[in-house]
Amino acid sequence: MKLKTHALSLFLLTFIFLSACDKPSHQLSTGVWRGALITASGAEIPFNFEVIDSLNAYTIYIINGEERFEVKEISTDGDSIHIKMPLFDSEIKGILKDNKIEGVWTKFLADTNVEMPFYAKTNTNWRISEKLSSSKFNVNGKWATTFITDDGKDTTYAVGEFHQKQAKVTGTFLTSTGDYRYLDGAVSGNKLSLSTFDGSHAFLFTATINPDSTLSDGKFYSGLSYIENFTAKKDSTAKLPDAYGLTFLKNNDEKLHFSFPNLNKEQVSLSDEKFKNKVVILQMFGSWCPNCMDESAYLAKFYSKYKNRGVEILGLAYERTRDFEKSKKNVERMKNRFDMDYDLLITGFTNDKEDAAKSLPMLNKVIAFPTMIILDKKGDVRKIHTGFSGPGTGKHYLEFTQEFEKLIDDMIKE
């Protein structure tokens, strides 16, 4: 009897061991992963993400600095994995095996699609380098920065603002058209590396740090193949032009007028009763635009506080396509993501800035998405704000929201 019991126990142990060995290698492991997108030039754009498994329903949080960008549309089929980004019309498809993913990130555009090779590995919480070399350099503070196109014909002024703790660096670059959102990276030796991925933009910044408080040999990689050079100098007084002075009416006395369909194809214009004797905020945005995402998240909360105080918001969407149904689908995803309880209109104009300018010909031009136009109770344009400094810019975001809300409070009292 003891022999039979021993044999049975040995059989059970063997079965359990073999079952464990046969456990599928294509399960999505929880924990922190390191992902990377590969540019046409061979540069890696790294980022981290955390996988959470709740009752066999996966959630991914893409990590960039303080941001944790939630992604819930994840499906697996055998060794195949499909990650659909909640905004920006992009996705990752790949093969999941042995705690690794190899595949492609696809960004869907109006006329063509852009694909970048992608790989990821679990249990990897480092981003730039597994072993960072010690450095005497510290990049804390403001940096007056000049981006130069590869052909040298175009330059853009920016202000870099970085925060360094030991080797780790976070921060962003601010420009007149918006910021580069949450950048995350490190200093290793005399090299600075920063990256971000948010489902729309994949950015990598690299530069050499010099003893004279300058950055040289700067390279900005964006997406599959775009590259710009940049230089920078540490400057505590660096600042951008006034965002309220870049876009303006050609004729100061002219009023805005337009008629665009909402998501139910009902025509909406500023002459509608709903907007009479109210402060009206026009938001020129696109579902493809990360800075617009930040502005929409803010305006959605702002509207919930101000909609009963005589304030209305109209979102004017400029999508990558003129197709109403495709545009509506992408705008609805954004509306649902941020609980945008104000009217959203499909303009039928695209995100090409010259095309967008035709929708509101009374403006001097359209420089950036987003652009915010503030109308007083008489329907007169009071201010136009170009771009948006999101929460990744820290105090700049707080300063804008405080000044903006004070302006609206004052206009309500008029």
Side-chain angles (χ1 to χ4, degrees):
M1 186 69 177
K2 288 183 179 180
L3 183 61
K4 289 183 179 180
T5 302
H6 178 73
L8 179 60
S9 299
L10 183 61
F11 170 78
L12 290 173
L13 286 171
T14 303
F15 176 78
I16 292 169
F17 175 77
L18 290 175
S19 297
C21 291
D22 290 339
K23 185 178 179 180
S25 64
H26 48 258
Q27 289 186 349
L28 187 60
S29 300
T30 59
V32 177
W33 292 59
R34 180 184 185 269
L37 298 161
I38 313 302
T39 71
S41 63
E44 279 194 2
I45 302 180
F47 62 98
N48 298 101
F49 59 92
E50 184 177 11
V51 176
I52 306 293
D53 183 1
S54 177
L55 301 176
N56 294 319
Y58 293 113
T59 299
I60 285 175
Y61 292 94
I62 299 175
I63 303 168
N64 294 299
E66 296 179 0
E67 182 183 50
R68 291 171 63 85
F69 187 69
E70 184 182 64
V71 181
K72 298 186 75 70
E73 295 183 59
I74 302 128
S75 60
T76 58
D77 183 8
D79 63 357
S80 298
I81 184 168
H82 180 202
I83 303 170
K84 176 69 177 175
M85 296 299 162
L87 300 168
F88 313 132
D89 203 12
S90 75
E91 66 183 19
I92 291 172
K93 286 187 175 181
I95 300 300
L96 171 61
K97 186 177 181 180
D98 298 330
N99 292 323
K100 297 178 182 178
I101 302 173
E102 291 188 4
V104 172
W105 173 53
T106 303
K107 186 175 180 179
F108 299 101
L109 304 178
D111 302 321
T112 185
N113 299 329
V114 176
E115 294 184 345
M116 293 184 70
F118 164 82
Y119 75 87
K121 184 179 180 180
T122 192
N123 296 323
T124 309
N125 58 11
W126 57 270
R127 187 182 190 97
I128 300 300
S129 176
E130 186 172 8
K131 293 182 180 179
L132 295 171
S133 61
S134 60
S135 175
K136 63 181 179 180
F137 293 104
N138 191 301
V139 296
N140 270 325
K142 291 184 177 183
W143 295 76
T145 307
T146 302
F147 288 94
I148 309 158
T149 55
D150 209 30
D151 59 12
K153 293 181 179 179
D154 192 20
T155 61
T156 300
Y157 178 74
V159 177
E161 293 202 12
F162 310 131
H163 309 280
Q164 182 174 341
K165 187 174 182 180
Q166 296 179 339
K168 184 175 177 60
V169 180
T170 57
T172 194
F173 289 97
L174 297 91
T175 76
S176 294
T177 58
D179 64 274
Y180 285 100
R181 304 194 73 252
Y182 294 90
L183 302 180
D184 193 330
V187 167
S188 182
N190 68 337
K191 301 296 182 182
L192 170 67
S193 299
L194 295 161
S195 66
T196 192
F197 174 67
D198 56 20
S200 176
H201 291 152
F203 295 152
L204 171 68
F205 300 85
T206 63
T208 299
I209 312 168
N210 302 308
D212 62 351
S213 298
T214 62
L215 301 180
S216 61
D217 305 318
K219 292 287 184 183
F220 165 40
Y221 302 86
S222 176
L224 178 62
S225 58
Y226 187 78
I227 302 175
E228 278 190 349
N229 302 309
F230 73 90
T231 59
K233 182 174 180 58
K234 201 165 192 178
D235 182 356
S236 62
T237 66
K239 65 178 183 179
L240 296 173
D242 181 9
Y244 286 106
L246 301 173
T247 308
F248 49 85
L249 292 175
K250 294 175 184 176
N251 181 345
N252 289 334
D253 298 325
E254 189 169 6
K255 291 184 181 292
L256 291 182
H257 51 83
F258 56 80
S259 181
F260 300 128
N262 62 18
L263 300 181
N264 297 319
K265 292 190 175 181
E266 301 164 337
Q267 291 295 125
V268 176
S269 72
L270 289 171
S271 60
D272 294 347
E273 189 67 30
K274 179 177 183 178
F275 306 109
K276 290 184 177 178
N277 199 35
K278 290 184 177 179
V279 175
V280 179
I281 299 159
L282 301 179
Q283 179 198 20
M284 301 177 70
F285 78 101
S287 64
W288 47 269
C289 162
N291 288 137
C292 301
M293 174 187 72
D294 288 335
E295 185 182 70
S296 297
Y298 166 69
L299 285 179
K301 294 177 181 178
F302 167 86
Y303 186 60
S304 68
K305 294 189 297 182
Y306 279 81
K307 62 183 178 181
N308 295 322
R309 297 183 56 196
V311 176
E312 291 294 339
I313 301 178
L314 266 177
L316 309 182
Y318 297 83
E319 296 299 294
R320 288 184 171 132
T321 173
R322 296 183 188 275
D323 185 283
F324 180 89
E325 293 302 326
K326 288 182 180 179
S327 297
K328 174 184 174 181
K329 179 181 177 182
N330 290 329
V331 171
E332 280 185 331
R333 288 170 68 89
M334 190 167 183
K335 174 183 175 69
N336 295 334
R337 172 83 176 196
F338 298 111
D339 194 21
M340 299 162 73
D341 192 30
Y342 48 87
D343 291 315
L344 302 176
L345 311 184
I346 306 296
T347 65
F349 293 85
T350 67
N351 61 326
D352 177 85
K353 291 168 186 173
E354 290 187 4
D355 187 47
K358 297 174 185 176
S359 68
L360 297 173
M362 58 288 298
L363 298 180
N364 66 323
K365 56 184 173 180
V366 174
I367 298 175
F369 294 99
T371 291
M372 182 190 296
I373 305 172
I374 304 168
L375 309 178
D376 64 22
K377 295 179 183 179
K378 296 179 181 179
D380 293 328
V381 173
R382 186 65 64 87
K383 284 182 176 290
I384 302 177
H385 188 277
T386 301
F388 187 75
S389 295
T393 68
K395 68 176 184 178
H396 299 282
Y397 172 73
L398 294 175
E399 288 172 356
F400 166 79
T401 58
Q402 291 169 357
E403 291 172 2
F404 173 72
E405 291 180 20
K406 182 181 186 306
L407 171 65
I408 301 304
D409 287 336
D410 292 341
M411 291 176 66
I412 291 171
K413 297 172 184 176
E414 292 176 354

